[in-house]
Amino acid sequence: MAQTKDQRKKIDMTKGSIIQNVLLFAIPIVIGNILQQMYTTVDTLVVSYYCGDRSLAAVGTSAQPVEVLLCVFLGIGAGVSILVSQSIGAGDEKKVSELSAAATSFVYLSGIPIAIIGFFAAPYILKFMGVPADVWDSALIYTRLVFLGALGNIGYNMNAGILRGLGDSVASLWFLVVSCATNIILDLLFVAGLRMDVAGAAIATSSSMFLSWIVSIFYIKKKFPELKFTILPKTLDMDDMKSILALGLPIGLNNSLFSFGHMAMQTLVNAQGYQFMAGASVAGRITGITNVAITAVSAAASTFSGQNYGARNFDRLRRGYILIPVINGIATLALGMIFISFRMPILRFFSQDEKVLLYASRYVVAVLISQWCYAVFNSISNVVNGVGMVKFTTVINLMMLWAVRIPTAYIIDRFYDGTYIMFCFPVSFLFGMICMIGYYIFSPAWKSIIEKGRDRKDSGIPLGTYHIPS
């Protein structure tokens, strides 16, 4: 039967060239991530140019507490994506529809409370972070306004997770095009035009995410009518919700604790003064851009793993579990070297303060020279998560931050010089990569999956044709 145009938009990871499918899936996410970085970069440029380095420092330090509360729910979105991809691989469209309905309900059950809690908890969070008095007011305004936009952020990311599980990574790109254009226009209107300072930047960011969420709802309703997707929640199936939470909650808690660790790191950054804060904020824009290959290929890894595991296509999983991390590591290393070479001209777009530029340059080199290790680590983690084995990856993620990165940063600050704390990143990246490679080699559960692929290939059983019994 010939495929329809809409069906061709979905990438079937159980067939064809592994590299081609991964790249086709990852490229729209790469472009989308670049667009996300673009509009956060526009925030930085506009705030820096029209408001100054103190406002820039406020925006940089305010991003961390927002991530802490959001990351739990974004991790649950990743859990939805994994379950959807496994159901697609198993050919169970009814289960995909049920999971989508549960995800919609969860958006409202989580998004509204998080906005309220975040608004009132903001001053306590910023106090814990040791935000300096000269950026306090701006940081508080920005944090509260971004928290109020949490519903749109969670809703968009949950829908994007559903689409990735379906094998459709192109749609999210178009949603981000809309979001990026909206954010830039509103930035120029509120910050440059109306001189609303960081409040304008926060309103622009939150509004653009709400628009992306709304667009994604109508896209899913039109392109995937079999899902019976609704704008508002309908009856919540507790069994589906338990399945989502069982898989997504460990990922979400891991992400949240990881972001909480970033807040602990931010306290060290804040202790070095506003020039170092501004330098770290500027450097984060560049290192964030180079992170696009990691997140895109890792998302493809999760979908690839989930679909092939659901289809019981173990031999294909065996072939892809090495190939995908290698691709991600090479792409990240190449991109990192390019940005290291041209870092100074790029950094000068954000600030003319020589100390800010010195700190930013040092930060960029320390992170990018080793980020390929994180790419390999993250790809392996997502391959393992895709088959539902999330416990080990959660533990290693937490150890990488709390047992390695943060202690290393505090040791550097205590015994050497706090303006070199960014060198804790290479140490933690290397630790994470070694641990996940070790999982591939020594884990009995993982070796069992890989052996199934080898056994089926040797026995002559057709590959990629077996589905989970309904």
Side-chain angles (χ1 to χ4, degrees):
M1 182 183 292
Q3 287 183 316
T4 67
K5 181 178 179 182
D6 289 341
Q7 287 173 323
R8 288 196 296 268
K9 290 181 180 180
K10 297 191 293 182
I11 297 175
D12 186 350
M13 292 284 192
T14 65
K15 302 174 183 177
S17 166
I18 294 175
I19 295 178
Q20 181 179 334
N21 283 341
V22 167
L23 292 178
L24 287 175
F25 190 93
I27 286 172
I29 300 177
V30 168
I31 299 172
N33 286 339
I34 290 173
L35 288 174
Q36 283 187 309
Q37 290 296 324
M38 183 184 296
Y39 73 64
T40 57
T41 300
V42 168
D43 275 344
T44 303
L45 285 171
V46 172
V47 170
S48 176
Y49 186 80
Y50 290 99
C51 309
D53 285 339
R54 283 180 171 78
S55 293
L56 178 62
V59 171
T61 197
S62 299
Q64 299 300 332
V66 176
E67 285 185 14
V68 169
L69 287 179
L70 286 178
C71 277
V72 172
F73 305 102
L74 301 186
I76 292 170
V80 171
S81 180
I82 291 169
L83 289 171
V84 168
S85 67
Q86 290 181 357
S87 299
I88 286 292
D92 191 346
E93 290 188 358
K94 180 181 178 182
K95 176 57 66 176
V96 175
S97 178
E98 293 171 350
L99 290 168
S100 299
T104 298
S105 298
F106 195 79
V107 168
Y108 290 90
L109 289 173
S110 59
I112 295 174
I114 198 175
I116 297 171
I117 293 170
F119 182 88
F120 289 104
Y124 303 101
I125 296 171
L126 296 179
K127 184 177 181 181
F128 167 79
M129 294 174 63
V131 174
D134 53 357
V135 299
W136 174 271
D137 290 341
S138 295
L140 181 59
I141 292 171
Y142 188 88
T143 303
R144 279 181 159 170
L145 289 176
V146 172
F147 268 127
L148 289 178
L151 181 64
N153 199 320
I154 294 171
Y156 163 75
N157 282 281
M158 198 72 72
N159 289 353
I162 293 171
L163 290 168
R164 284 195 298 270
L166 291 168
D168 184 351
S169 61
V170 176
S172 297
L173 169 60
W174 293 112
F175 305 153
L176 287 173
V177 168
V178 173
S179 179
C180 182
T182 302
N183 190 80
I184 293 173
I185 292 171
L186 294 180
D187 258 335
L188 294 173
L189 173 62
F190 294 142
V191 181
L194 300 178
R195 301 286 179 172
M196 294 176 63
D197 206 287
V198 297
I203 293 171
T205 298
S206 296
S207 299
S208 64
M209 290 308 300
F210 263 107
L211 184 60
S212 289
W213 176 40
I214 293 169
V215 172
S216 70
I217 291 173
F218 286 100
Y219 176 87
I220 294 174
K221 285 176 64 66
K222 180 178 180 181
K223 298 297 182 181
F224 301 98
E226 67 274 13
L227 298 185
K228 301 177 182 178
F229 202 77
T230 58
I231 298 175
L232 296 175
K234 51 185 180 181
T235 303
L236 178 62
D237 188 299
M238 292 308 298
D239 288 336
D240 288 331
M241 183 54 64
K242 288 177 182 177
S243 297
I244 291 172
L245 291 177
L247 188 57
L249 194 57
I251 299 174
L253 290 174
N254 171 68
N255 291 345
S256 184
L257 288 170
F258 211 81
S259 291
F260 188 76
H262 287 173
M263 285 177 56
M265 285 288 297
Q266 189 68 41
T267 62
L268 286 176
V269 172
N270 295 345
Q272 314 307 320
Y274 84 88
Q275 287 176 308
F276 190 84
M277 292 170 65
S281 178
V282 169
R285 302 309 179 193
I286 295 181
T287 58
I289 292 173
T290 61
N291 200 45
V292 298
I294 298 175
T295 56
V297 179
S298 294
S302 179
T303 299
F304 167 85
S305 180
Q307 287 190 7
N308 282 284
Y309 183 73
R312 293 302 191 254
N313 198 345
F314 297 115
D315 179 69
R316 185 174 175 85
L317 184 59
R318 182 177 65 85
R319 287 182 280 129
Y321 85 107
I322 295 292
L323 188 60
I324 295 174
V326 170
I327 292 173
N328 208 355
I330 292 173
T332 303
L333 179 60
L335 198 59
M337 292 302 100
I338 292 172
F339 275 94
I340 286 175
S341 300
F342 296 98
R343 67 187 183 280
M344 292 311 298
I346 298 172
L347 291 172
R348 291 190 185 279
F349 277 108
F350 297 93
S351 179
Q352 298 301 313
D353 187 307
E354 289 303 319
K355 272 217 163 174
V356 170
L357 293 174
L358 171 65
Y359 297 142
S361 175
R362 186 184 299 164
Y363 197 106
V364 167
V365 172
V367 173
L368 297 190
I369 201 71
S370 58
Q371 203 171 36
W372 67 273
C373 296
Y374 179 71
V376 174
F377 155 79
N378 207 41
S379 295
I380 297 175
S381 295
N382 277 274
V383 169
V384 174
N385 285 344
V387 302
M389 299 177 179
V390 300
K391 293 181 179 179
F392 184 81
T393 59
T394 299
V395 171
I396 296 304
N397 260 293
L398 296 178
M399 288 182 64
M400 189 169 73
L401 180 66
W402 290 98
V404 180
R405 184 179 304 169
I406 293 176
T408 301
Y410 273 87
I411 289 170
I412 294 172
D413 181 57
R414 175 67 177 83
F415 295 103
Y416 185 61
D417 182 346
T419 61
Y420 285 86
I421 59 174
M422 67 284 293
F423 284 95
C424 66
F425 287 96
V427 178
S428 64
F429 291 163
L430 181 61
F431 169 82
M433 181 181 71
I434 292 173
C435 287
M436 290 313 302
I437 292 175
Y439 184 84
Y440 268 178
I441 297 172
F442 299 111
S443 168
W446 183 257
K447 287 164 69 175
S448 173
I449 290 176
I450 299 308
E451 286 301 320
K452 287 178 182 177
R454 186 177 289 110
D455 292 344
R456 291 190 67 215
K457 183 178 181 180
D458 292 342
S459 67
I461 298 174
L463 300 169
T465 57
Y466 177 80
H467 294 284
I468 297 173
S470 58

